[in-house]
């Protein structure tokens, strides 16, 4: 196996390319990134950064593997519960008017956010055929985890015992979500900076929580502009409380005790 050579400027070139392709700014984690990609390149018999960056740019399969390697996928059930409740209450109001409601979780990581919404919708008796939740993430391994729906104890720590009992099958030592109780749910591997985002259609509600924390201002602006294109008029978007949301005249900010959100104007 060949040694992988990586100078500081090589590493910066990789970090710049990762940002261009995914929005993620890895500069604060550059030592971790360096170790990860050195190990990766060695396994692929790639011995220099130019080859690695070329493949990152033009080889789709290898690009996906690298994106899977560099993204941070921390998530758990019922994270920032107030916002989830607010989103589902709003979805319920829209569905009572007779409509079908579409929610997008972008990003969904391993799926806990999507299934949390499903559990909350079911708990308030929302008609499961009137709600469709789409989860997307750039990381294809995470999307596979979403589809498998198997979670460890740490991931379900915020769920009540009754919720674990009702909505999961115990497969020791883990928990598997009972998909048949959930609303209509789909998961797709999508980079929000790819045009495949626009093929998803229009949504009533978007949750985009804890992704922009990894982006620079210019990518945060791009993100919220892209979401505006797939949000229905007066649709709502929820960001995570740690996300820095840039000013944008496409939305008005609604500060609500049950969860701050942005409404498309
Ligand atoms: C920390 S997780 C947040 C998951 C969930 N929304 C939550 O708040 O618990 C961030 C996710 O953003 C995804 N991500 C990063 N860049 C992305 C992009 N350009 N397009 C889609 N997903 C992206 C990562 O793969 C990761 O799973």
């Amino acid at each position: 196996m060949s040694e992988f050579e990586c100078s500081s400027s090589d590493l910066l070139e990789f970090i710049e390319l990762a940002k261009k392709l995914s929005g993620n700014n890895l500069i604060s984690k550059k030592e971790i990134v360096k170790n990860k990609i050195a190990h990766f390149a060695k396994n692929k018999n790639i011995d220099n950064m130019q080859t690695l960056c070329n493949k990152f740019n033009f080889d789709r399969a290898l690009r996906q593997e690298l994106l899977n390697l560099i993204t941070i996928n921390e998530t758990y059930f019922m994270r920032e519960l107030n916002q989830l409740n607010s989103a589902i209450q709003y979805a319920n109001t829209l569905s009572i008017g007779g409509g079908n409601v579409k929610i997008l979780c972008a990003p969904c990581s391993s799926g806990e956010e999507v299934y949390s919404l499903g559990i909350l919708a079911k708990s308030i008796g929302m008609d499961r055929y009137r709600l469709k939740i789409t989860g997307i993430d750039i990381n294809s391994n995470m999307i596979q985890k979403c589809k498998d729906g198997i979670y460890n104890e740490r991931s379900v720590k915020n769920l009540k015992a009754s919720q674990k009992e009702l909505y999961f099958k115990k497969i020791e030592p883990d928990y598997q979500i009972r998909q048949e109780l959930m609303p209509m749910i789909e998961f797709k591997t999508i980079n929000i900076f790819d045009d495949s985002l626009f093929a998803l259609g229009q949504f009533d509600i978007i949750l985009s929580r804890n992704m922009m924390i990894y982006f620079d201002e210019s990518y945060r602006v791009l993100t919220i502009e892209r979401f505006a294109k797939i949000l229905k008029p007066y649709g709502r978007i929820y960001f995570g409380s740690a996300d820095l949301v840039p000013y944008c005249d496409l939305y008005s900010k609604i500060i609500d005790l049950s969860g701050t959100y942005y409404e498309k104007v």
Side-chain angles (χ1 to χ4, degrees), residues 14 21 28 63 75 85-86 123 136 192 240 242 249:
F14 178 87
L21 295 175
S28 62
R63 179 192 302 174
T75 188
N85 272 324
S86 163
S123 313
I136 64 167
I192 61 143
D249 60 10

Side-chain angles (χ1 to χ4, degrees), residues 21-24 71-76 79 107-110 113 136-139 142 190-193 208-211 213-215:
L21 295 175
S22 73
N24 289 265
T71 48
I72 294 164
N73 313 111
E74 162 74 7
T75 188
Y76 46 87
R79 185 177 194 178
C108 64
S109 187
S110 37
E113 189 172 280
I136 64 167
D137 203 280
I138 199 171
N139 186 315
M142 290 303 118
I190 290 182
N191 178 351
I192 61 143
F193 298 112
S208 181
R209 307 190 310 162
N210 304 300
M211 173 176 67
I213 43 176
Y214 304 109
F215 294 174

